[in-house]
Amino acid sequence: MKKLLAVIAASIVISGCSIQQTVEKAELEKETELCIVENPAVREGFLTEFKAVLTSKNIPHRLVSASFIPVSCEWTTTYVARWNWDLALYMSYAEIKVFHKGNLDGKAIYDSTHGSANMGKFIDAEPKIRELVNQLMQFKTSSLFGYFYGQG
């Protein structure tokens, strides 16, 4: 019985030190412009890397203010990121959401806020941002492509 309690206690402690990452893919249409809703509360380096990844994926984009999102922005994306200090500064949380006509189409979340004892939380932010954006931003395949390859 004591052994069982020890195993349960250990699993609770270990699960409390976890880092979580989830991605629900957004399916963009080719040549669609993505409007990035600027978040001045987030470190500038996050936005710089975010835009660099979009450029490398040939996704047209522009920065818009949260106080005025033009009607022409059919596809929008928001982002939030936080950094914490624990022996070193590290990105502890990142969230990127993609909306199509105001409806959530996909999201990517990286969360190490419950990973206090997990040394894996000390990551370089740029590669993690790149990973999240690459997993999140996908292009729709045309129905003709799917037809020829048995996906339609």
Side-chain angles (χ1 to χ4, degrees):
M1 183 65 158
K2 286 183 182 182
K3 202 174 200 179
L4 178 61
L5 289 175
V7 169
I8 292 171
S11 24
I12 290 171
V13 169
I14 290 170
S15 68
C17 301
S18 67
I19 296 172
Q20 298 177 359
Q21 181 169 314
T22 57
V23 177
E24 296 172 17
K25 296 178 182 180
E27 290 192 346
L28 302 173
E29 297 166 359
K30 289 275 188 186
E31 303 303 317
T32 298
E33 181 181 55
L34 186 61
C35 294
I36 303 169
V37 180
E38 186 174 20
N39 185 347
V42 174
R43 301 174 123 232
E44 190 176 323
F46 187 97
L47 179 59
T48 301
E49 186 63 24
F50 187 16
K51 292 190 315 187
V53 178
L54 293 175
T55 298
S56 73
K57 292 178 74 66
N58 296 317
I59 298 174
H61 58 277
R62 66 177 156 142
L63 197 59
V64 298
S65 170
S67 60
F68 178 73
I69 300 172
V71 178
S72 61
C73 289
E74 193 173 305
W75 288 87
T76 57
T77 183
T78 60
Y79 60 97
V80 174
R82 289 190 294 274
W83 277 255
N84 283 340
W85 178 265
D86 183 7
L87 305 175
L89 191 62
Y90 66 99
M91 186 175 73
S92 61
Y93 183 84
E95 175 183 282
I96 304 168
K97 291 183 177 179
V98 177
F99 299 88
H100 182 234
K101 296 181 179 178
N103 296 313
L104 184 64
D105 194 68
K107 65 182 175 181
I109 298 173
Y110 168 79
D111 186 355
S112 70
T113 56
H114 300 292
S116 59
N118 189 329
M119 298 310 278
K121 68 184 177 183
F122 297 110
I123 60 163
D124 287 331
E126 289 81 7
K128 181 54 69 177
I129 296 163
R130 196 173 316 118
E131 176 186 334
L132 292 172
V133 175
N134 280 326
Q135 289 178 8
L136 174 63
M137 307 286 182
Q138 303 295 318
F139 289 111
K140 287 183 180 179
T141 56
S142 71
S143 56
L144 186 58
F145 175 84
Y147 177 78
F148 285 116
Y149 291 94
Q151 300 170 355

